[in-house]
Amino acid sequence: MMKASFKAKFEPEKAATAATVAVNAGDFKLRASITDATVVNGPSLNGLALAVEKPGFFIIDYNVPKNDLRFQFMNTIRVAEKPLNLTYIHSKGDERTILDGSLVIDSANKVSVNHMFGTANTKFKYTYLHGGLTTFEPIYDLGKNTWDFALSRRVFGDDVFRATYQTSSKNLGLEWSRSSKINGSVKISASVNLAEERKLPKLCAETTWDFEM
């Protein structure tokens, strides 16, 4: 089976589009992605990316114009009978390696840690799902010694409202998203920096359509 998706992103300063085609090849998925930079001013390799994925095990991404490889390996182990999901990511181009782990305590509680090797960039996140509809996520950045907060609420089944606040940058974000298998997904977001004198919001709208062929 072949699946395709088309994504459009609109901002007051610019607009961008992207398309992805995925093909199932046994236990593997093959993907090719392009952006508007690939076709503007004639076909080119700009914005072209290729990927091989074995769901739940690994993803290998290749950025064609940058000649850059990105490896991602996933595994799940049991800790005190609880699933610990581990993800190892290495980008060859910038020699950046990240280890991400999330321990699922129960259906409402999850603890996550994200660490970039060779740096003090370590983040701890606690996720609490209340009543199956409201999610609260405090995030502590060890390197910056700062807190970030996120609060989301699912309404009307397909709609999600989300608010975020970054204490280090004093950036406040609001987002509304809707996901539907029939009509695709749409997301509208606004962010404002409370530290700036002119608190002008930055607006962004995204929409994605998925197709099966």
Side-chain angles (χ1 to χ4, degrees):
M1 179 182 295
M2 181 181 296
K3 294 184 178 181
S5 66
F6 176 80
K7 181 178 180 180
K9 182 177 181 180
F10 305 93
E11 295 177 311
E13 300 84 5
K14 61 181 180 179
T17 57
T20 300
V21 176
V23 180
N24 290 329
D27 294 335
F28 299 89
K29 288 185 178 180
L30 309 178
R31 294 198 312 270
S33 304
I34 62 172
T35 67
D36 49 4
T38 313
V39 295
V40 172
N41 298 324
S44 69
L45 297 179
N46 294 328
L48 175 62
L50 306 174
V52 179
E53 175 184 0
K54 186 174 183 179
F57 291 92
F58 68 82
I59 302 173
I60 301 176
D61 291 294
Y62 177 56
N63 187 311
V64 177
K66 294 182 179 180
N67 192 25
D68 185 17
L69 280 170
R70 179 178 179 271
F71 303 91
Q72 179 173 324
F73 299 94
M74 299 85 77
N75 194 13
T76 299
I77 61 177
R78 309 291 296 189
V79 177
E81 300 304 318
K82 306 294 184 182
L84 174 62
N85 302 313
L86 298 172
T87 302
Y88 173 88
I89 303 171
H90 177 72
S91 299
K92 186 177 179 182
D94 53 13
E95 293 298 329
R96 184 171 61 175
T97 303
I98 297 173
L99 180 62
D100 187 273
S102 62
L103 178 64
V104 181
I105 300 173
D106 53 38
S107 59
N109 297 274
K110 183 173 68 174
V111 179
S112 305
V113 179
N114 181 283
H115 174 68
M116 183 184 298
F117 288 92
T119 72
N121 189 350
T122 302
K123 294 182 179 180
F124 300 89
K125 179 171 70 173
Y126 170 65
T127 303
Y128 172 63
L129 177 62
H130 178 71
L133 298 175
T134 304
T135 302
F136 179 66
E137 293 178 321
I139 305 167
Y140 176 65
D141 191 322
L142 182 64
K144 297 179 180 178
N145 190 27
T146 58
W147 286 88
D148 297 334
F149 300 93
L151 178 67
S152 60
R153 171 78 177 182
R154 180 175 295 276
V155 296
F156 309 125
D158 295 330
D159 294 51
V160 176
F161 290 92
R162 179 177 171 88
T164 59
Y165 181 67
Q166 299 173 334
T167 58
S168 58
S169 60
K170 300 187 182 301
N171 198 61
L172 175 65
L174 298 174
E175 176 187 297
W176 166 79
S177 62
R178 171 180 289 178
S179 180
S180 171
K181 292 183 179 180
I182 299 177
N183 300 317
S185 62
V186 61
K187 180 171 68 175
I188 299 176
S189 59
S191 63
V192 60
N193 193 313
L194 302 180
E196 297 179 351
E197 285 190 25
R198 299 181 62 190
K199 298 178 175 59
L200 298 177
K202 296 180 180 179
L203 303 176
C204 178
E206 298 181 26
T207 183
T208 304
W209 294 276
D210 296 318
F211 311 92
E212 291 188 359
M213 298 177 285

